[in-house]
Amino acid sequence: MQHILDAIQAGDSSPEDFANLEIPDHYRAATVHKDEVDMFEGVASKEKDPRKSIHVEDVALPELGPGEALVAVMASAINYNTVWTSIFEPVSTFGFLERYGRLSPLTKRHDLPYHVVGSDLAGVVLATGPGVTKWKPGTEVVAHCLSVELEEPDGHDDTMLDPQQRIWGFETNFGGLADVALVKANQLMPKPDHLTWEEAASPGLVNCTAYRQLVSKNGGDMKQGDNVLIWGASGGLGGFATQYALNGGANPVCVVSNEEKAQIARSMGAEMVINRSEEGYQFWKDEHTQDPKEWKRLGAKIRELTGGEDIDIVFEHPGRETFGASVYVTRKGGTITTCASTSGFMHEYDNRYLWMNLKRIISSHFANYRESWEANRLIAKGKIHPTLSRTYSLEDVGQAALDVHHNKHQGKVGVLCLAPEEGLGVRDHDLRDQHLEAINRFRGV
């Protein structure tokens, strides 16, 4: 792969130069193995160690099909879906690959005894398949993770509703934690010129998810003046939700777990911050019983901060631990938008507070291409900034996933793939200089 890296770093290689590069028939990738899906049987979720299940190894280059592109991956990032894949929860992803493989002879390529993981990338187009006209070899790109077939009518109003909608690198193979990735051409977007490879790779999944969940008409449809409760406001998802709330004229009420994270939220411009460790909220009395008194105590704290107003939109992603409280504190006619459920998928809430107060629960899952493009455009214009806190090498991807699994990270954790070091790939230094403090906000924390 060195000749590919040399062409990228040269800075003056033409599309023809890239088109003529020989692409090796094998490449380095982070994988999980089908014959190891039972390796953590009987082990508690938090004790399952991604360092044992994620392998960095050479794998065969997949055949390039119509409408697809091969991308040289300079950097990627860790998302919770890679953690779930690595600990084989809530189900093994090999079931996804098997079902996708039954769709057509072309998709059969994805059904392998190993799964190349990862749903983010920043890199350079190496080759495109038949029918691709927008993207040329040598173009610097990022990729969103929505994979769709769009052969049925359901997805043509909102591609997230395509019956064959999948998350690339989680429900498909050949993901971004590798030196080469296979994507559909309609996953590609321009790389923001003022960011490094690792910075540009880090927003992807979480930025687009936050945009749809909070801003889009398909999610919270946030407007100026809305009070928005944001759980985990300094994390990968919450860090972007906080920025979108502030950027869109809303009033974020940021919930964080310690003072260090509270300072990050304030540094973004948030004025209303709730430190859970200081407040000591215990929404569950035990494994089976919630405590409505704690919901009320949270609601009182919110009203104290907002001058007596309740929450218009809750940006919900912890799931089981917080969902009952989220439903309770939302104003009459308000909205709870939900995704991910990182603390547990089985939500419980008191339906009286939802039903009798005409509140709405809106499910939100990643974003369609238009929403992803808009979210990336805001990054490229310096309106929204990456939340990268730390970067690992691909060889240490297991440790990176463990950090996210144990919530030892802030913002996003990046992974260098072909990029030999951090700090490469910046094309617009003037724009970068204008936003350097915001770009580095999550680093060193």
Side-chain angles (χ1 to χ4, degrees):
M1 299 295 295
Q2 186 60 48
H3 65 294
I4 293 175
L5 179 59
D6 290 343
I8 294 170
Q9 293 189 292
D12 58 357
S13 301
S14 69
E16 291 74 21
D17 292 332
F18 278 97
N20 290 326
L21 287 174
E22 180 182 354
I23 305 175
D25 61 3
H26 282 70
Y27 64 99
R28 190 178 56 143
T31 67
V32 294
H33 292 180
K34 193 173 188 177
D35 61 3
E36 293 180 344
V37 296
D38 297 324
M39 68 184 299
F40 295 126
E41 190 170 349
V43 179
S45 289
K46 281 297 182 183
E47 301 304 315
K48 296 177 180 179
D49 190 342
R51 295 173 300 182
K52 296 179 179 179
S53 57
I54 297 179
H55 307 271
V56 178
E57 60 186 341
D58 278 352
V59 299
L61 187 77
E63 174 191 355
L64 182 60
E68 296 179 339
L70 288 172
V71 180
V73 183
M74 296 298 281
S76 185
I78 301 294
N79 295 289
Y80 270 99
N81 67 11
T82 293
V83 175
W84 294 327
T85 302
S86 71
I87 63 175
F88 308 108
E89 288 190 10
V91 294
S92 161
T93 55
F94 287 99
F96 301 146
L97 303 186
E98 290 166 8
R99 285 193 292 276
Y100 192 30
R102 291 194 290 267
L103 191 62
S104 73
L106 190 65
T107 63
K108 181 63 177 174
R109 295 168 300 164
H110 293 258
D111 183 8
L112 295 169
Y114 59 86
H115 186 181
V116 180
V117 297
S119 298
D120 285 323
L121 72 74
V124 176
V125 176
L126 290 177
T128 57
V132 177
T133 59
K134 183 176 178 61
W135 305 99
K136 305 296 183 186
T139 306
E140 296 184 353
V141 294
V142 294
H144 69 79
C145 62
L146 175 61
S147 173
V148 290
E149 307 302 317
L150 291 181
E151 290 188 296
E152 300 181 55
D154 309 57
H156 283 264
D157 183 48
D158 175 9
T159 49
M160 284 302 300
L161 300 181
D162 181 18
Q164 299 300 334
Q165 174 268 318
R166 292 173 173 83
I167 297 299
W168 160 71
F170 179 59
E171 295 166 300
T172 78
N173 217 322
F174 316 122
L177 286 164
D179 288 343
V180 178
L182 178 71
V183 299
K184 293 183 182 296
N186 60 15
Q187 290 177 240
L188 298 176
M189 303 181 293
K191 173 191 171 291
D193 286 339
H194 67 297
L195 299 181
T196 66
W197 294 113
E198 62 275 12
E199 291 162 356
S202 67
L205 186 150
V206 287
N207 180 40
C208 301
T209 297
Y211 182 93
R212 180 182 175 106
Q213 186 174 347
L214 187 56
V215 179
S216 170
K217 62 181 176 61
N218 292 312
D221 198 15
M222 184 189 73
K223 67 181 185 302
Q224 293 185 50
D226 278 347
N227 294 319
V228 180
L229 183 66
I230 301 172
W231 294 100
S234 70
L237 274 172
F240 284 107
T242 299
Q243 292 185 69
Y244 279 118
L246 291 164
N247 199 43
N251 309 309
V253 179
C254 296
V255 185
V256 296
S257 59
N258 57 47
E259 181 55 31
E260 192 174 51
K261 295 179 179 180
Q263 290 299 329
I264 291 177
R266 292 188 186 102
S267 75
M268 286 188 279
E271 297 179 355
M272 296 181 287
V273 180
I274 297 174
N275 184 337
R276 289 184 67 181
S277 62
E278 287 182 356
E279 299 294 335
Y281 297 114
Q282 297 292 330
F283 298 130
W284 290 80
K285 296 178 181 179
D286 55 48
E287 185 179 351
H288 305 290
T289 310
Q290 296 194 64
D291 188 349
K293 291 181 180 178
E294 290 292 270
W295 302 348
K296 294 178 182 179
R297 191 159 72 89
L298 173 64
K301 180 65 177 180
I302 290 168
R303 287 179 173 178
E304 175 188 321
L305 292 172
T306 61
E309 296 180 345
D310 289 326
I311 293 297
D312 296 285
I313 304 171
V314 181
F315 186 85
E316 240 296 343
H317 55 96
R320 180 174 175 81
E321 182 183 353
T322 59
F323 204 82
S326 292
V327 170
Y328 178 82
V329 301
T330 305
R331 71 163 176 83
K332 188 170 186 175
T335 301
I336 303 99
T337 61
T338 178
C339 77
S341 300
T342 52
S343 71
F345 303 102
M346 298 300 291
H347 298 188
E348 294 182 23
Y349 62 91
D350 189 328
N351 197 46
R352 291 172 297 176
Y353 297 114
L354 185 82
W355 142 53
M356 298 183 71
N357 290 288
L358 303 173
K359 303 176 186 182
R360 297 181 302 155
I361 296 173
I362 295 180
S363 59
S364 189
H365 181 43
F366 190 58
N368 61 39
Y369 195 10
R370 183 63 187 175
E371 292 161 339
S372 297
W373 191 279
E374 289 296 324
N376 185 64
R377 174 176 173 268
L378 290 168
I379 294 275
K381 286 185 171 293
K383 302 291 186 182
I384 299 292
H385 306 287
T387 61
L388 184 66
S389 60
R390 185 174 183 183
T391 303
Y392 286 87
S393 70
L394 185 59
E395 295 297 332
D396 294 321
V397 66
Q399 182 63 51
L402 183 68
D403 283 3
V404 175
H405 183 32
H406 289 169
N407 199 31
K408 293 181 178 179
H409 66 303
Q410 301 279 8
K412 282 297 291 289
V413 174
V415 177
L416 296 179
C417 298
L418 279 175
E421 60 188 34
E422 296 181 58
L424 304 176
V426 177
R427 308 303 179 213
D428 187 340
H429 292 275
D430 289 341
L431 183 60
R432 181 178 182 82
D433 289 344
Q434 293 176 37
H435 300 289
L436 194 56
E437 182 179 351
I439 292 169
N440 288 326
R441 179 175 285 126
F442 285 74
R443 285 191 168 102
V445 178

